[in-house]
Amino acid sequence: MTTIDEVSRPSRVAGPDEAISAEELQLAARNHGIPLEALRYDVTPAGLHYLLIHYDIPDLDAVTHTLTVDGAVRQPLRLGLTELRERPRVTRRVTLECAGNGRALLHPRPVSQPWLVEAVGNAEWTGTPLAPLLREAGIAPDAVDVVFTGADHGVERGVEQDYQRALPVADALRDEVLLAYEMNGAPLLPQHGAPLRLIVPGWYGMAHVKWLRSINVLTGEFDGYQNAVAYRLRRDADDPGVPVTRIEPRALVRPPGFPDFMSRSRVLRPGTCTVDGRAWSGHGPVVGVEVTTDGGVTWTPAVLDPPGGGEWSWRRWRYEWTPQPGRYALAARATDGSGRTQPVEQPWNRGGFANNLVQRVDVLVVEK
């Protein structure tokens, strides 16, 4: 007798010195991070925005696609994309980051999509606010969770499933949560959730359900795989853990100079150089960024540009540097309005989630 377990194995942690596997490389080829030089853009072009696809990109027709709202509601709803477009239209600039960003830098390494630090992007999402739709449907007074189901279907750790994530009712009713049908002023691309996706500003990417087809209101806590098993911060397989939710503060350096093809190590000429990058957090506005050029021995405040993209968009920072020939280790760390600061030593967790350890950029300054 054959079973689905033959193709879907339990999660695991890599052994000491275990190399990246062919399966992980296959994931890395399907998914991609932002090229760090693209941090120059206030709004990330759609083709450079990070991408994670859990299963297959579903084959959906925008003309016939419908969204249902049901469960613990007074009046179930069924709407096509045309009807959603007729509702109030809002555009928000939102930074999205994968919850597994930085996973491949952990020791030991959780075996999954091997992100370094590039799983991020900052786009303009256009759609209609979710809250009025839920209020129109009439959420039951004892409702607890709102479940969002995408059209992508697969198997994960032995569990066959549609991709589903839930938000507590209070979070689903936040004014900034969107049902988005456009990205950067154009219809969503297939890989970014066309024709409809959820946007939950401030939360890691797993909450922004793509290819959205249904919304179901529950009077109990959702116990689906992506909430109850995946995307939890746990020390070991038996630890129930706590859910991954809001984005931890992070700053990224836009690497200066030019790269070596294989190592991506940076080469720079002596003289004045503006080191810059982006910083963001889901817990509060970024209020400070510090920069080091000596691997963390000393830190100096950077200059923050005015917040021009709204409260859910990343913020540019810059630092004037005049290096002499030699080797340098650059890094930046962000602090947000809640008092959270990026760590220089990252606590480990089994899933490799919310790893906001400071990025290191090695630079060789040479005369010629």
Side-chain angles (χ1 to χ4, degrees):
M1 179 178 179
T2 59
T3 69
I4 208 164
D5 291 338
E6 293 181 26
V7 298
S8 186
R9 295 178 292 277
S11 64
R12 69 181 186 90
V13 174
D17 302 319
E18 180 182 340
I20 296 287
S21 67
E23 286 184 339
E24 289 173 291
L25 288 176
Q26 181 175 238
L27 285 175
R30 284 184 57 81
N31 306 308
H32 67 77
I34 186 175
L36 290 179
E37 62 270 27
L39 293 171
R40 71 169 70 98
Y41 300 111
D42 290 335
V43 174
T44 307
L48 299 179
H49 195 286
Y50 100 90
L51 186 66
L52 178 68
I53 301 166
H54 275 81
Y55 309 130
D56 281 353
I57 299 171
D59 183 11
L60 300 178
D61 184 347
V63 175
T64 59
H65 187 73
T66 58
L67 174 71
T68 60
V69 182
D70 57 19
V73 297
R74 182 182 64 253
Q75 177 63 52
L77 303 175
R78 186 180 183 91
L79 304 100
L81 199 63
T82 298
E83 294 167 286
L84 289 170
R85 284 181 171 275
E86 291 171 349
R87 300 178 72 89
R89 177 183 172 95
V90 175
T91 297
R92 301 195 194 283
R93 192 175 295 182
V94 179
T95 300
L96 267 62
E97 182 180 9
C98 185
N101 201 14
R103 174 185 290 122
L105 300 173
L106 292 176
H107 300 283
R109 184 184 82 256
V111 176
S112 185
Q113 165 66 31
W115 291 123
L116 297 173
V117 296
E118 299 92 346
V120 67
N122 190 62
E124 289 186 340
W125 304 96
T126 299
T128 192
L130 172 65
L133 198 69
L134 293 177
R135 293 191 177 100
E136 183 178 320
I139 294 180
D142 57 346
V144 173
D145 276 352
V146 181
V147 181
F148 302 89
T149 301
D152 47 331
H153 183 86
V155 58
E156 195 165 344
R157 311 307 184 194
V159 180
E160 185 176 352
Q161 59 191 280
D162 293 332
Y163 186 85
Q164 293 181 301
R165 278 284 304 189
L167 292 173
V169 167
D171 288 295
L173 289 173
R174 286 165 47 205
D175 291 341
E176 60 269 22
V177 178
L178 287 181
L179 299 173
Y181 42 74
E182 291 181 8
M183 178 184 186
N184 294 349
L188 290 174
L189 295 170
Q191 67 270 32
H192 286 295
L196 188 67
R197 71 174 297 169
L198 186 67
I199 294 294
V200 188
W203 283 52
Y204 280 111
M206 78 283 154
H208 304 243
V209 178
K210 293 185 283 189
W211 311 294
L212 185 65
R213 62 178 179 81
S214 71
I215 299 172
N216 184 249
V217 180
L218 303 182
T219 55
E221 188 172 323
F222 178 58
D223 61 358
Y225 179 88
Q226 302 295 339
N227 272 68
V229 180
Y231 294 109
R232 299 184 76 85
L233 301 172
R234 49 165 62 94
R235 296 296 301 174
D236 54 57
D238 296 325
D239 178 8
V242 296
V244 177
T245 56
R246 290 180 176 269
I247 298 172
E248 296 297 321
R250 186 191 290 275
L252 286 184
V253 178
R254 181 167 69 97
F258 55 92
D260 170 70
F261 171 69
M262 282 296 297
S263 68
R264 311 310 295 177
S265 294
R266 310 302 295 191
V267 180
L268 186 65
R269 305 297 184 204
T272 300
C273 168
T274 299
V275 178
D276 70 348
R278 303 285 174 168
W280 62 92
S281 174
H283 292 277
V286 171
V287 297
V289 172
E290 299 170 283
V291 175
T292 180
T293 60
D294 54 20
V297 176
T298 59
W299 295 87
T300 303
V303 175
L304 287 175
D305 281 4
E311 63 178 315
W312 306 111
S313 175
W314 63 21
R315 192 169 178 184
R316 181 175 180 260
W317 58 267
R318 49 196 166 85
Y319 173 74
E320 298 302 317
W321 183 40
T322 308
Q324 299 301 311
R327 294 183 179 276
Y328 299 87
L330 275 59
R333 64 183 180 192
T335 299
D336 67 23
S338 75
R340 290 172 170 80
T341 299
Q342 281 184 262
V344 294
E345 294 185 5
Q346 177 64 49
W348 185 86
N349 68 84
R350 183 178 171 84
F353 298 125
N355 174 18
N356 64 333
L357 178 70
V358 296
Q359 165 206 20
R360 178 185 172 111
V361 179
D362 293 320
V363 177
L364 176 65
V365 179
V366 296
E367 292 285 0
K368 60 180 179 179

Coordinates of all heavy atoms in Angstrom, one line a residue, residues 24-36 38 44-54 57 96-98 101 113-121 183 189 191-192 210:
E24 N 16.7 21.5 -1.4 CA 16.7 22.9 -1.0 C 17.1 23.8 -2.2 O 16.5 24.9 -2.3 CB 17.7 23.1 0.1 CG 17.2 22.5 1.5 CD 18.3 22.5 2.5 OE1 19.3 21.8 2.4 OE2 18.2 23.3 3.5
L25 N 18.0 23.3 -3.0 CA 18.4 24.1 -4.2 C 17.2 24.2 -5.2 O 16.9 25.2 -5.8 CB 19.5 23.4 -5.0 CG 20.9 23.6 -4.3 CD1 21.9 22.8 -5.1 CD2 21.3 25.0 -4.2
Q26 N 16.4 23.1 -5.2 CA 15.1 23.2 -6.0 C 14.2 24.2 -5.5 O 13.6 25.0 -6.3 CB 14.5 21.8 -6.0 CG 13.2 21.7 -6.8 CD 12.7 20.3 -6.8 OE1 12.5 19.7 -7.9 NE2 12.4 19.7 -5.7
L27 N 14.0 24.3 -4.2 CA 13.2 25.4 -3.6 C 13.8 26.8 -3.9 O 13.1 27.7 -4.3 CB 13.1 25.2 -2.1 CG 12.2 24.1 -1.6 CD1 12.3 24.0 -0.1 CD2 10.7 24.4 -2.0
A28 N 15.1 26.9 -3.8 CA 15.7 28.2 -4.1 C 15.6 28.6 -5.5 O 15.6 29.8 -5.8 CB 17.2 28.1 -3.6
A29 N 15.5 27.7 -6.4 CA 15.3 28.0 -7.8 C 13.9 28.5 -8.1 O 13.7 29.3 -9.0 CB 15.7 26.8 -8.7
R30 N 12.9 27.9 -7.4 CA 11.5 28.3 -7.6 C 11.2 29.7 -7.0 O 10.5 30.5 -7.5 CB 10.6 27.3 -7.0 CG 10.4 26.0 -7.8 CD 9.4 25.1 -7.1 NE 8.1 25.7 -6.9 CZ 7.2 25.9 -7.9 NH1 7.4 25.4 -9.1 NH2 6.0 26.5 -7.6
N31 N 11.8 29.9 -5.8 CA 11.6 31.1 -5.0 C 12.8 32.0 -5.2 O 13.9 31.5 -5.6 CB 11.4 30.7 -3.6 CG 10.3 29.7 -3.4 OD1 9.2 29.9 -3.9 ND2 10.6 28.6 -2.7
H32 N 12.7 33.3 -4.9 CA 13.9 34.1 -5.0 C 13.8 35.3 -4.1 O 12.7 35.7 -3.8 CB 14.1 34.6 -6.5 CG 13.0 35.5 -7.0 ND1 13.0 36.8 -6.7 CD2 12.0 35.3 -7.8 CE1 12.0 37.4 -7.3 NE2 11.3 36.5 -8.0
G33 N 14.9 35.8 -3.7 CA 15.0 37.0 -2.9 C 15.2 38.3 -3.8 O 15.5 38.2 -5.0
I34 N 15.2 39.4 -3.2 CA 15.5 40.7 -3.9 C 17.0 40.8 -4.1 O 17.7 40.5 -3.1 CB 14.9 41.9 -3.0 CG1 15.1 43.2 -3.8 CG2 15.6 42.0 -1.7 CD1 14.5 44.4 -3.1
P35 N 17.4 41.1 -5.3 CA 18.9 41.5 -5.4 C 19.2 42.7 -4.5 O 18.4 43.7 -4.5 CB 19.0 41.8 -6.9 CG 17.8 41.2 -7.5 CD 16.7 41.3 -6.5
L36 N 20.2 42.6 -3.7 CA 20.4 43.6 -2.6 C 20.6 45.0 -3.3 O 20.3 46.0 -2.6 CB 21.5 43.3 -1.7 CG 21.2 42.1 -0.8 CD1 22.3 41.7 0.1 CD2 19.9 42.4 0.1
A38 N 18.9 46.3 -5.4 CA 17.5 46.8 -5.7 C 17.0 47.5 -4.4 O 15.9 48.1 -4.5 CB 16.6 45.7 -6.1
T44 N 9.7 48.4 -4.8 CA 10.4 47.3 -5.4 C 9.7 47.0 -6.7 O 8.5 46.6 -6.7 CB 10.5 46.1 -4.5 OG1 11.0 46.5 -3.2 CG2 11.3 45.0 -5.1
P45 N 10.3 46.9 -7.9 CA 9.7 46.4 -9.1 C 9.2 45.0 -8.9 O 9.8 44.2 -8.2 CB 10.8 46.5 -10.1 CG 11.7 47.6 -9.6 CD 11.7 47.5 -8.1
A46 N 8.0 44.7 -9.5 CA 7.4 43.4 -9.2 C 8.3 42.2 -9.5 O 8.3 41.2 -8.7 CB 6.1 43.3 -10.0
G47 N 9.1 42.3 -10.5 CA 10.0 41.2 -10.8 C 11.2 41.0 -9.9 O 11.9 40.0 -10.0
L48 N 11.5 42.0 -9.1 CA 12.6 42.0 -8.1 C 12.1 41.7 -6.7 O 12.9 41.5 -5.8 CB 13.4 43.3 -8.2 CG 14.0 43.6 -9.5 CD1 14.8 45.0 -9.4 CD2 15.0 42.5 -10.0
H49 N 10.8 41.8 -6.5 CA 10.2 41.6 -5.1 C 10.5 40.1 -4.8 O 10.4 39.2 -5.6 CB 8.8 41.9 -5.2 CG 8.1 42.0 -3.8 ND1 7.8 40.9 -3.0 CD2 7.7 43.1 -3.2 CE1 7.2 41.4 -1.9 NE2 7.1 42.7 -2.0
Y50 N 10.7 39.9 -3.5 CA 10.9 38.5 -3.1 C 9.7 37.6 -3.4 O 8.6 38.1 -3.4 CB 11.3 38.4 -1.6 CG 10.2 38.0 -0.6 CD1 10.0 36.7 -0.3 CD2 9.4 39.0 -0.1 CE1 8.9 36.3 0.5 CE2 8.4 38.6 0.8 CZ 8.1 37.3 1.1 OH 7.1 36.9 1.9
L51 N 9.9 36.3 -3.5 CA 8.8 35.4 -3.9 C 9.0 34.1 -3.2 O 10.1 33.5 -3.1 CB 8.9 35.2 -5.4 CG 7.8 34.4 -6.0 CD1 6.5 35.2 -5.9 CD2 8.1 34.1 -7.5
L52 N 7.9 33.7 -2.5 CA 7.8 32.3 -2.0 C 6.5 31.7 -2.4 O 5.4 32.3 -2.1 CB 7.9 32.3 -0.4 CG 7.8 30.9 0.2 CD1 9.0 30.1 -0.1 CD2 7.6 31.0 1.7
I53 N 6.6 30.5 -3.0 CA 5.4 29.8 -3.5 C 5.4 28.5 -2.8 O 6.3 27.6 -3.0 CB 5.4 29.6 -5.0 CG1 5.5 31.0 -5.7 CG2 4.2 28.8 -5.5 CD1 5.8 30.9 -7.2
H54 N 4.4 28.2 -1.9 CA 4.4 27.0 -1.1 C 4.2 25.8 -2.0 O 4.9 24.8 -1.9 CB 3.3 27.0 0.0 CG 3.7 27.7 1.2 ND1 3.8 29.0 1.4 CD2 4.2 27.2 2.4 CE1 4.2 29.3 2.6 NE2 4.4 28.2 3.2
I57 N 1.6 27.4 -8.5 CA 0.8 28.6 -8.9 C -0.4 28.1 -9.5 O -0.4 27.4 -10.6 CB 1.6 29.5 -9.9 CG1 2.9 30.0 -9.3 CG2 0.7 30.7 -10.3 CD1 3.8 30.7 -10.2
L96 N 6.9 43.6 2.8 CA 6.7 42.2 3.1 C 8.0 41.5 3.3 O 9.0 41.7 2.5 CB 5.9 41.5 1.9 CG 4.4 41.4 2.0 CD1 3.8 42.8 2.0 CD2 3.9 40.6 0.8
E97 N 8.1 40.6 4.3 CA 9.3 39.8 4.5 C 8.9 38.4 4.9 O 7.9 38.2 5.6 CB 10.1 40.4 5.7 CG 11.4 39.6 6.0 CD 12.2 40.2 7.1 OE1 11.7 41.1 7.8 OE2 13.3 39.8 7.3
C98 N 9.6 37.4 4.3 CA 9.3 36.1 4.6 C 9.7 35.7 6.0 O 10.8 36.2 6.5 CB 10.0 35.1 3.6 SG 9.6 33.4 3.9
N101 N 13.2 34.4 6.5 CA 14.4 35.1 6.1 C 15.5 35.0 7.1 O 15.4 35.2 8.3 CB 14.0 36.6 5.9 CG 14.9 37.4 5.0 OD1 15.7 36.8 4.3 ND2 14.9 38.7 5.1
Q113 N 13.3 26.1 2.7 CA 13.8 27.2 1.8 C 15.0 27.9 2.4 O 14.9 28.5 3.5 CB 12.6 28.2 1.6 CG 13.1 29.5 0.9 CD 13.6 29.3 -0.5 OE1 13.1 28.5 -1.2 NE2 14.5 30.2 -0.9
P114 N 16.2 27.8 1.7 CA 17.4 28.3 2.3 C 17.6 29.8 2.1 O 18.5 30.3 1.4 CB 18.5 27.5 1.6 CG 17.9 27.3 0.2 CD 16.4 27.1 0.4
W115 N 16.8 30.6 2.8 CA 17.0 32.1 2.7 C 18.3 32.6 3.4 O 18.6 32.1 4.4 CB 15.8 32.8 3.3 CG 14.5 32.7 2.7 CD1 13.3 32.2 3.2 CD2 14.1 33.1 1.3 NE1 12.3 32.3 2.4 CE2 12.7 32.8 1.2 CE3 14.8 33.7 0.3 CZ2 12.0 33.1 0.0 CZ3 14.1 33.9 -0.9 CH2 12.8 33.7 -1.0
L116 N 18.9 33.6 2.8 CA 20.0 34.3 3.5 C 19.3 35.5 4.1 O 18.7 35.4 5.2 CB 21.1 34.6 2.5 CG 21.8 33.4 1.9 CD1 22.7 33.8 0.8 CD2 22.5 32.6 3.0
V117 N 19.4 36.7 3.4 CA 18.7 37.9 4.0 C 17.8 38.6 3.0 O 17.3 39.7 3.3 CB 19.8 38.9 4.6 CG1 20.6 38.3 5.7 CG2 20.7 39.4 3.5
E118 N 17.7 38.1 1.8 CA 17.1 38.8 0.7 C 15.6 38.6 0.6 O 15.0 39.1 -0.4 CB 17.8 38.5 -0.6 CG 19.2 38.8 -0.6 CD 20.1 37.6 -0.2 OE1 19.6 36.7 0.4 OE2 21.3 37.7 -0.4
A119 N 14.9 37.9 1.5 CA 13.5 37.6 1.3 C 12.6 38.8 1.8 O 11.9 38.7 2.8 CB 13.1 36.4 2.1
V120 N 12.6 39.9 1.0 CA 11.9 41.1 1.4 C 11.6 41.9 0.1 O 12.2 41.7 -1.0 CB 12.7 41.9 2.3 CG1 14.0 42.5 1.7 CG2 11.9 43.1 2.9
G121 N 10.6 42.7 0.2 CA 10.3 43.6 -0.9 C 9.3 44.7 -0.4 O 8.7 44.5 0.7
M183 N -0.7 45.3 -7.9 CA 0.6 45.5 -7.3 C 1.4 46.5 -8.2 O 1.5 46.4 -9.4 CB 1.4 44.2 -7.3 CG 2.8 44.2 -6.8 SD 3.6 42.6 -6.9 CE 5.2 42.9 -6.0
L189 N 0.5 39.8 -10.7 CA 1.1 38.7 -11.6 C 0.7 37.4 -11.0 O 0.4 37.3 -9.8 CB 2.6 38.9 -11.6 CG 3.1 40.2 -12.3 CD1 4.6 40.4 -12.1 CD2 2.8 40.1 -13.8
Q191 N 2.5 34.8 -10.1 CA 3.3 34.4 -8.9 C 3.1 35.2 -7.7 O 3.4 34.8 -6.6 CB 4.8 34.4 -9.3 CG 5.4 35.8 -9.6 CD 5.2 36.3 -11.0 OE1 4.3 35.9 -11.7 NE2 6.2 37.0 -11.5
H192 N 2.5 36.4 -7.8 CA 2.2 37.3 -6.7 C 0.7 37.2 -6.2 O 0.3 38.0 -5.4 CB 2.6 38.7 -7.0 CG 4.1 38.9 -6.9 ND1 4.9 38.7 -5.8 CD2 5.0 39.2 -7.9 CE1 6.1 39.0 -6.1 NE2 6.2 39.2 -7.4
K210 N -2.1 34.3 -0.8 CA -2.3 34.5 -2.2 C -3.4 33.6 -2.8 O -3.8 32.7 -2.2 CB -0.9 34.2 -2.9 CG 0.2 35.2 -2.5 CD 1.4 35.0 -3.3 CE 2.2 33.9 -2.8 NZ 3.6 33.8 -3.4

